[in-house]
């Protein structure tokens, strides 16, 4: 009886394992990651439409000052709602990160990891500073 109960789980486990392996490589991996992100975006948009949870960023909720990643959830909500321009405006850095994760199976990440660690740190730091300034202006904390 235990073997019969374990058989479907074993088959499901093999399917999940193959899918996760495929998600790491090539065009199939890109399609799987993009599909997962699309499903997540539609799901988040649906949940947001059903009941807005309010501000999710702890820093912004406590201080009123957004963090560099503020707007990341909004990116998914706007894409899932079919408003790509608003998604880009919510947080271009979070969107670029999501695109980077989606295209990683194509091997483009090798160029990133070929950079010196100090160069990667400076690039990430500059992106976070730029994102923070974007959020401060977008949410009206900083006037330009």
């Amino acid at each position: 009886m235990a073997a019969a109960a374990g058989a479907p789980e074993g088959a499901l486990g093999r399917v999940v394992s193959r899918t996760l392996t495929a998600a790491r490589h090539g065009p199939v991996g890109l399609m799987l990651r993009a599909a997962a992100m699309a499903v997540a975006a539609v799901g988040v948009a649906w949940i947001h439409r059903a009941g807005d949870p309010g501000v999710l960023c702890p820093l912004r909720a406590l201080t009123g000052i957004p963090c560099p990643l503020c707007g990341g959830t909004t990116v998914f909500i706007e894409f899932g709602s079919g408003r790509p321009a608003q998604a880009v405006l919510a947080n271009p850095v979070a969107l670029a990160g999501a695109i980077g994760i989606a295209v990683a199976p194509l091997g483009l990440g090798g160029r990133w990891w070929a950079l010196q660690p100090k160069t990667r740190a400076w690039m990430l730091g500059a992106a976070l500073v730029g994102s923070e300034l974007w959020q401060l202006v977008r949410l009206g904390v900083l006037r330009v």
Side-chain angles (χ1 to χ4, degrees):
M1 185 161 195
E9 183 178 304
L12 178 61
R14 285 190 296 277
V15 169
V16 168
S17 176
R18 285 186 199 138
T19 303
L20 291 175
T21 299
R24 292 186 199 122
H25 306 288
V28 172
L30 171 65
M31 291 182 348
L32 286 170
R33 287 173 184 228
M37 288 178 178
V39 168
V42 170
V44 168
W46 179 78
I47 289 169
H48 187 267
R49 200 170 313 135
D52 185 356
V55 175
L56 299 176
C57 176
L59 180 67
R60 186 170 161 212
L62 292 173
T63 67
I65 298 172
C67 74
L69 301 178
C70 274
T73 305
T74 305
V75 169
F76 279 96
I77 291 169
E78 296 297 349
F79 261 120
S81 298
R83 295 185 296 266
Q86 286 85 352
V88 172
L89 292 174
N91 191 328
V93 173
L95 179 61
I99 291 170
I101 289 169
V103 301
L106 298 179
L108 302 175
R111 298 182 90 189
W112 170 257
W113 293 110
L115 296 172
Q116 294 295 320
K118 194 172 188 177
T119 303
R120 288 194 311 261
W122 274 103
M123 290 174 71
L124 286 173
L128 290 174
V129 167
S131 180
E132 179 64 14
L133 290 172
W134 180 269
Q135 295 307 315
L136 290 172
V137 170
R138 178 178 81 96
L139 296 171
V141 177
L142 181 66
R143 304 273 184 220
V144 288

